[in-house]
Amino acid sequence: MPVESGSSAAARQAKQKRKSHSLSIRRTNSTEQERSGLQRDMLEGQDSKLPLSLRTNLLDLFSQIEREFENLYIENLELRREIETLNDRLSGDGQTFDGADLAKGALKTKASHSTSQLSQKLKTTYKASTSKPGPAFDSPSPRDLVLQIWNLFSDLFPKSTEGPVCIIPIFNIVSSFKATTSRAVCQLVREYVGHRDGIWDLSVSRTQPVVLGTASADHSAMLWSIETGKCLLKYVGHQGSVNSIKFHPTEQMALTASGDQTAHIWRYMVQLPTPQPVADISQTPCEDDVDSSDKDEADGEAEGPSDCPSLRVATTTLRSHQGVVIAADWLVGGKQAVTASWDRAANLYDVETSELVHSLTGHDQELTHCCTHPTQRLVVTSSRDTTFRLWDFRDPSIHSVNVFQGHTDTVTSAVFTVGDNVVSGSDDRTVKVWDLKNMRSPIATIRTDSAVNRISVSVTQKIIALPHDNRQVRLFDMAGVRLARLPQSNRTGHRRMVCCSAWCEDNTSCNLFTCGFDRQAIGWNINIAALLQEK
C-alpha cells in the first residue's frame, strides 16, 4: 500500500473540512445510481422555486466541474512531488527547478486540454441561458462565470510559503491565429449606441433612404442614420426580445421576429439628418494583437436616445408559432415572408393577407436562423440539431427539401451568396462553404478558435465576415483563406460576444456592420481592394 505524503494528507483533511460546508456540490465514491439517489434526496430536502429537473441538471453540471477541478488538483499534487524530488536530487549541486518551468511542458498541455473542455461546457450553458428572450438583463460574460467558479474552487490547490508553488494556468485556453503580413486597413468609423440590452441582429435597408436597423433583447428595434449615428426611429411593438430584423427589398417596410412568438411587419418613414464632419480617426491595422479588457464601458444603464420617435403599432402581425420566433426574412419579390422558431418549424406567410401558406417541419430541435436566396425562391433553415435544410419553392407544385449534416454542433446560421453557394457557421467552431449543385460535401472548411454566430457574405467580392463568441470578427474568402481580423483592444471593437455581421458595399463610409452583447453596433470601413491584393 503506498504511503501518503504529509502534504497530500494535509490537503485531503482541508478538503474534507470544506465538504462539510458545501451545500450545492457533493460527491461520493458510491455507484452512479447511489449518487443520483443522494442528489434527489438533497434536492427534495431544500426549499427552492426551481423545477426539480432544472435543479438536477445544475447539480450534474457542477458535479462535472468538481471532477475537472479535482483532476487538476491531483495533477498539481503529483507535479509538486516531482519538483520536490528533483530539488532533493539537485540540492547538492545548488540547482533547483521552479514549478512554472515544468508547467510549460507536457503536463501543462494535458491540463489545458481538460480545462478547455470545461470552459466550452460553461460557455455553451451561458449562451443557452442568455438566448432566451425576456426583460432586459445584464448577464456576466463566459469568462466572468469561469472566474467566479475558479474563485470558489481555488482553495483546492495547495498553498505553501516554502518551496515552489505550481499552479497550472487554466484561462489561457483560447488560441490565437498566427499573425499575417496583411497591409489592409480596417477602420472603425462609427458606433451606434442607444439600446439598453444586447443586440442580436442588424441589417441595412435596400431602398432609399439607406438606414441601419438593429434588433435588441431590450424588446425594441431601432433605425439609425449610417452617416451620423443618430437614432431615427424606435419600434416598440413587441412584448419580448427582438431577435431579427430584415428590410423589404423594394418598400420602406421592416420585418422583425420576437420572443413573443410573433413576427411583425411595420412601415417606416424617416428623414436622414445632415451629415456632420467626421473626426480624423487614425487608421488601425487589421491585425491588432492587443487583447481587450473585461471592462464593459457600455454596460451602464444607458438610456435610449431621448429625441428618437417611437412606433408602437405593426402593419401586419404573423402568428401561428408556439415558441420563440428567432429569425425572419423576405422571399424574393417581398410578397411572402418566412419565419424560424424554437417550436422546430419554419412558416411561410403571405404578406398581404398574413395567412400561413406552408409550415416547414422536419428539424429535430429548435431552429436558430433562416435565410432566403436573393434571386430565387429558395430558403435555408438552421437548427440546433446540427443540420441545415434547403427548401425549394421554385416549382409551385413541388416543394422539395434537402438535409445537410456537415457540422457536429448547433448550426447558428446558413446564408446564400449571389451565386450558387451556401455558407454555414456553427458552434463547432467551423464555417463551411457549399456548392448548391453538389452539396454532398463542402468545397471549403474554415476552422476557428471560437463559436461562430450569424455570418454574412459580401455581394460582389464574396468576403465572409465571421462574428465570434470571443469578441473577435474575422474575414475570410470563399476558399477559406483568412484575409484579416478587425481591430480589437481596450478602446476599439466589441467588449462582449459578437452576434451578427452585415455587409453594405455600396456605402462609401461604412461597408461592414457588426453588433454584439455589449449593446452597441459598429460601422467599419474595410479596404477590400487591399484585402484582395494581399490575397
Side-chain angles (χ1 to χ4, degrees):
M1 178 180 296
V3 180
E4 188 179 45
S5 65
S7 60
S8 177
R12 179 167 299 181
Q13 291 176 0
K15 182 178 178 181
Q16 291 175 350
K17 291 181 180 179
R18 286 189 296 271
K19 276 189 176 182
S20 62
H21 299 286
S22 175
L23 296 179
S24 59
I25 300 176
R26 297 184 180 181
R27 300 186 72 251
T28 176
N29 293 325
S30 60
T31 64
E32 291 295 331
Q33 184 176 2
E34 294 173 343
R35 182 180 302 152
S36 300
L38 178 61
Q39 292 176 356
R40 286 194 298 269
D41 295 341
M42 182 181 63
L43 290 175
E44 293 174 356
Q46 294 181 357
D47 184 17
S48 174
K49 297 181 180 179
L50 293 177
L52 181 61
S53 59
L54 177 59
R55 299 173 66 193
T56 303
N57 292 336
L58 288 174
L59 186 63
D60 179 67
L61 177 62
F62 278 101
S63 296
Q64 296 179 42
I65 294 172
E66 184 183 12
R67 286 193 292 271
E68 294 287 350
F69 274 90
E70 184 179 35
N71 292 335
L72 287 178
Y73 172 73
I74 294 174
E75 290 176 2
N76 274 274
L77 286 180
E78 294 176 352
L79 187 57
R80 181 181 177 84
R81 284 195 291 267
E82 291 182 14
I83 295 173
E84 292 175 351
T85 301
L86 288 174
N87 282 334
D88 291 341
R89 293 179 180 178
L90 300 175
S91 59
D93 299 331
Q95 302 178 15
T96 59
F97 283 97
D98 183 69
D101 297 332
L102 291 180
K104 296 178 181 178
L107 288 175
K108 179 184 178 182
T109 303
K110 179 179 179 182
S112 296
H113 176 71
S114 61
T115 53
S116 177
Q117 295 176 342
L118 170 62
S119 178
Q120 179 64 18
K121 292 177 183 177
L122 293 173
K123 189 271 298 180
T124 303
T125 303
Y126 162 78
K127 187 175 181 182
S129 63
T130 57
S131 65
K132 298 177 181 178
F137 55 87
D138 184 15
S139 301
S141 67
R143 189 176 190 274
D144 294 335
L145 289 176
V146 179
L147 283 171
Q148 292 173 13
I149 296 173
W150 170 261
N151 290 332
L152 290 175
F153 290 95
S154 60
D155 56 353
L156 288 177
F157 294 93
K159 299 179 181 179
S160 174
T161 57
E162 299 179 0
V165 178
C166 181
I167 299 296
I168 300 177
I170 72 169
F171 293 116
N172 297 327
I173 58 178
V174 179
S175 60
S176 60
F177 280 95
K178 182 179 179 180
T180 66
T181 58
S182 174
R183 296 189 301 271
V185 174
C186 304
Q187 183 180 0
L188 188 154
V189 178
R190 188 161 286 105
E191 295 177 342
Y192 305 86
V193 180
H195 280 292
R196 301 185 63 183
D197 210 330
I199 304 176
W200 292 118
D201 197 27
L202 80 172
S203 180
V204 180
S205 65
R206 292 180 269 182
T207 59
Q208 295 294 333
V210 179
V211 296
L212 174 68
T214 55
S216 171
D218 64 6
H219 299 189
S220 73
M222 288 186 178
L223 304 185
W224 308 82
S225 166
I226 294 178
E227 305 299 333
T228 65
K230 179 181 179 180
C231 177
L232 305 176
L233 181 66
K234 183 177 183 180
Y235 180 71
V236 292
H238 283 291
Q239 301 301 314
S241 169
V242 185
N243 302 318
S244 168
I245 182 170
K246 287 291 185 293
F247 290 97
H248 193 276
T250 59
E251 300 182 38
Q252 292 187 20
M253 291 194 300
L255 171 64
T256 50
S258 173
D260 60 13
Q261 303 184 6
T262 67
H264 289 183
I265 298 174
W266 40 279
R267 291 185 176 273
Y268 62 90
M269 293 184 63
V270 295
Q271 183 176 1
L272 297 180
T274 304
Q276 300 295 326
V278 180
D280 184 15
I281 304 176
S282 60
Q283 293 183 340
T284 307
C286 290
E287 296 300 329
D288 185 352
D289 289 328
V290 179
D291 189 16
S292 104
S293 68
D294 294 324
K295 180 176 63 176
D296 296 312
E297 299 174 2
D299 283 354
E301 288 296 327
E303 294 292 336
S306 57
D307 58 343
C308 182
S310 297
L311 176 65
R312 297 181 180 274
V313 181
T315 305
T316 303
T317 299
L318 306 179
R319 309 176 188 272
S320 68
H321 281 295
Q322 303 302 315
V324 169
V325 183
I326 196 66
D329 202 357
W330 303 89
L331 262 71
V332 58
K335 295 183 178 180
Q336 292 181 325
V338 62
T339 58
S341 171
W342 283 6
D343 63 9
R344 307 184 183 184
N347 289 341
L348 185 66
Y349 295 91
D350 182 276
V351 172
E352 184 176 356
T353 64
S354 70
E355 293 182 357
L356 177 64
V357 179
H358 293 289
S359 183
L360 313 179
T361 59
H363 282 290
D364 295 331
Q365 295 188 38
E366 297 91 337
L367 272 65
T368 57
H369 191 251
C370 66
C371 180
T372 60
H373 195 280
T375 60
Q376 303 181 59
R377 290 177 57 82
L378 298 173
V379 177
V380 61
T381 55
S382 311
S383 172
R384 290 178 56 87
D385 63 10
T386 73
T387 72
F388 66 93
R389 294 180 176 233
L390 177 64
W391 310 83
D392 191 345
F393 296 99
R394 289 176 293 186
D395 188 343
S397 61
I398 302 175
H399 307 300
S400 62
V401 58
N402 295 310
V403 183
F404 303 99
Q405 302 175 340
H407 292 282
T408 60
D409 205 338
T410 298
V411 181
T412 54
S413 64
V415 299
F416 291 101
T417 67
V418 174
D420 295 326
N421 297 111
V422 172
V423 183
S424 59
S426 171
D427 276 345
D428 65 8
R429 307 183 183 186
T430 68
V431 173
K432 297 179 184 290
V433 182
W434 309 78
D435 189 343
L436 282 175
K437 299 177 181 178
N438 182 16
M439 298 189 67
R440 294 183 179 179
S441 60
I443 59 177
T445 298
I446 301 170
R447 304 187 185 280
T448 70
D449 63 351
S450 179
V452 181
N453 296 309
R454 295 182 176 179
I455 61 180
S456 64
V457 183
S458 63
V459 175
T460 58
Q461 301 298 340
K462 295 185 178 181
I463 298 176
I464 311 170
L466 310 185
H468 290 286
D469 272 6
N470 66 358
R471 300 173 285 187
Q472 299 287 347
V473 180
R474 295 184 173 93
L475 306 180
F476 288 81
D477 66 9
M478 295 290 287
V481 177
R482 174 180 156 175
L483 302 177
R485 184 185 70 185
L486 300 193
Q488 196 221 8
S489 66
N490 295 349
R491 301 172 302 278
T492 304
H494 289 285
R495 303 177 184 87
R496 290 282 183 92
M497 173 179 67
V498 189
C499 300
C500 182
S501 64
W503 287 95
C504 181
E505 294 173 279
D506 295 335
N507 192 282
T508 56
S509 60
C510 302
N511 55 3
L512 177 63
F513 298 90
T514 58
C515 65
F517 234 62
D518 54 2
R519 309 180 187 182
Q520 67 174 342
I522 297 178
W524 306 86
N525 184 274
I526 309 299
N527 192 336
I528 297 180
L531 289 179
L532 299 179
Q533 183 179 2
E534 281 297 322
K535 175 182 174 182

